[in-house]
Amino acid sequence: MDGFERRTEEKKKRVLQAAFDLINSDTGVENLTIDEVAKKANVGKTSIFKYFGSKENLIHEVFIRSMEEMGDNAKKVMAKNAPFEETLIAMSQVKIEYLDKINKQFYLDLMKYYTKKEDSGFTRMMEDYTKQSFGIMLDLFHRGRKEGKVDLKYSDEFLMLYFQAIIEGISNPLIYEKIMPYTAEWTEMLVKGIAPKK
């Protein structure tokens, strides 16, 4: 990468960070302006339009980067190949830390984007992310079976539904704000629920 390309990438990063900081507030995407982003990122408005094309595309990119960051963190946890329970606690912590880092309005805006019918690219990306997440969890449950921590009587389908129900519950802002101090207990209950009976 030459000097010009490096400066361009640096500017893009500043714009994305500025947009994230502005969206990750009580006002969310509703009142975001390119003027504010340009001022906060210390770049010209024309640069923002050159890099992203529109305000919608910039918002889209902020949401995609945010989801990719959480996905990358989950992959790093899995790559450590720690025991099942330790990995499950770390995965729970990744999710809770992500939710703790973002404003409630950011999360609501993200979910709104996810369910918008006209933004099929973002919806497809979220579906891919969900599939990847489920694949990671399935691998983790298989690891738990090998370690004797997950009862063999539970099918993959049941484990995924069980996990999905818990994740959807923890994604509720009323719950995730309160659950952070209880990550270990929450994981312990999850593990005990699927563990083989002695």
Side-chain angles (χ1 to χ4, degrees), residues 7-190:
R7 284 190 301 278
T8 299
E9 280 307 305
E10 180 54 39
K11 272 189 188 178
K12 280 184 181 178
K13 282 181 188 171
R14 286 199 329 255
V15 169
L16 285 165
Q17 186 61 51
F20 172 80
D21 292 344
L22 291 164
I23 294 170
N24 193 27
S25 68
D26 291 339
T27 56
V29 298
E30 192 68 33
N31 298 312
L32 182 74
T33 67
I34 294 297
D35 285 329
E36 282 180 305
V37 175
K39 185 178 175 186
K40 189 165 180 61
N42 197 26
V43 300
K45 281 170 45 174
T46 52
S47 293
I48 295 174
F49 286 111
K50 186 170 110 182
Y51 303 147
F52 300 99
S54 68
K55 180 175 120 175
E56 285 299 305
N57 288 347
L58 174 59
I59 292 167
H60 181 100
E61 190 65 28
V62 167
F63 285 147
I64 285 173
R65 295 265 174 123
S66 179
M67 296 304 295
E68 284 174 348
E69 180 188 335
M70 189 168 70
D72 290 346
N73 289 338
K75 287 175 190 167
K76 285 176 191 168
V77 168
M78 284 297 287
K80 289 180 181 175
N81 273 328
F84 173 71
E85 289 175 12
E86 191 180 315
T87 303
L88 196 55
I89 289 170
M91 295 289 273
S92 304
Q93 199 64 45
V94 163
K95 175 79 170 176
I96 290 167
E97 283 170 5
Y98 171 77
L99 292 170
D100 192 48
K101 180 178 128 179
I102 62 171
N103 183 287
K104 179 179 173 181
Q105 189 58 51
F106 183 94
Y107 179 77
L108 295 172
D109 288 340
L110 175 67
M111 291 299 106
K112 196 166 156 187
Y113 260 66
Y114 175 46
T115 56
K116 268 168 114 176
K117 298 293 180 234
E118 64 269 19
D119 192 353
S120 62
F122 187 73
T123 301
R124 196 168 34 257
M125 189 278 304
M126 286 293 285
E127 286 168 357
D128 289 346
Y129 171 81
T130 301
K131 260 189 232 165
Q132 252 184 31
S133 296
F134 283 175
I136 288 170
M137 287 312 295
L138 207 48
D139 289 347
L140 181 58
F141 287 133
H142 290 172
R143 185 184 301 175
R145 282 188 183 124
K146 285 179 188 164
E147 293 176 16
K149 304 284 184 173
V150 176
D151 199 319
L152 296 175
K153 73 179 180 181
Y154 298 124
S155 68
D156 286 352
E157 184 181 11
F158 169 78
L159 289 170
M160 295 316 295
L161 286 169
Y162 182 68
F163 171 71
Q164 186 177 4
I166 288 170
I167 290 300
E168 286 181 14
I170 202 174
S171 296
N172 179 321
L174 297 173
I175 294 173
Y176 77 68
E177 289 171 0
K178 296 176 186 167
I179 203 168
M180 189 128 179
Y182 303 106
T183 307
E185 290 92 338
W186 176 81
T187 307
E188 182 185 334
M189 286 189 71
L190 171 65

